[in-house]
Amino acid sequence: MRRLFAQLAAWIDSESVRHYQNIIYAAYICAGAHAIISNPPGAVTRVMGEMFDAIWTAMLIVCPLLGWLGNWLRHRNLSGLWVQLSGDLGFTFATWAYVAAIVQATYAKNATFAAWIGAAIGICAIGVVVRDIRLLRHVVVRMAELDREDDAR
């Protein structure tokens, strides 16, 4: 039991957002699966229509999976960074679409907690996208430097 608590403490103290991002990604996948299985009428359906709701629901599942796949691939290939960025961009878009739907459906009178929490997640998601872009830019610049060094030899 002590070992489990030590691992949990190390996880919490790691100062990485990856763990928390994984929790949110898993929650989005569960929400998307729930929407597919039970098809509850939601704010996104009421505000944006059934077709957009179907796309949004698919994004809840596909985008976190792309983020995870990209994170796994990036240690093997540069394309993983692009896959991760696309997943995180889609995740960000899905989050802000939900916030917009909640605000529009309730005219910002009801469900304000959901809107504020969604907006907070959306702001964090923008930060993740900026991190992805900065990492991708850093890798591309470093690759160009290495290419120039190779050409100089």
Side-chain angles (χ1 to χ4, degrees):
M1 187 60 88
R2 281 189 174 155
R3 183 178 169 163
L4 179 65
F5 283 126
Q7 287 175 334
L8 178 61
W11 181 74
I12 291 170
D13 294 340
S14 72
E15 296 189 21
S16 171
V17 299
R18 179 69 55 200
H19 306 303
Y20 304 102
Q21 187 178 5
N22 288 336
I23 292 169
I24 296 294
Y25 277 4
Y28 271 54
I29 291 169
C30 291
H34 179 255
I36 289 172
I37 293 167
S38 66
N39 197 21
V44 175
T45 307
R46 287 191 300 276
V47 171
M48 299 182 191
E50 287 188 28
M51 187 172 95
F52 187 83
D53 183 59
I55 294 167
W56 177 75
T57 300
M59 289 176 73
L60 292 179
I61 296 170
V62 171
C63 294
L65 291 174
L66 283 173
W68 281 334
L69 175 64
N71 186 51
W72 180 75
L73 286 174
R74 78 181 206 176
H75 300 291
R76 291 153 184 77
N77 191 314
L78 179 65
S79 65
L81 292 172
W82 288 103
V83 173
Q84 183 177 357
L85 176 60
S86 67
D88 290 341
L89 276 169
F91 172 82
T92 302
F93 178 77
T95 302
W96 284 105
Y98 176 74
V99 171
I102 288 292
V103 169
Q104 189 172 357
T106 64
Y107 304 105
K109 292 180 183 176
N110 302 324
T112 56
F113 183 77
W116 282 109
I117 294 301
I121 293 169
I123 290 168
C124 292
I126 290 170
V128 169
V129 168
V130 169
R131 179 206 61 193
D132 292 348
I133 292 169
R134 290 173 52 86
L135 178 60
L136 185 59
R137 184 179 178 278
H138 175 75
V139 169
V140 169
V141 166
R142 183 65 182 134
M143 287 175 61
E145 290 171 358
L146 291 172
D147 285 343
R148 282 193 298 277
E149 289 175 13
D150 282 347
D151 291 343
R153 287 184 200 167

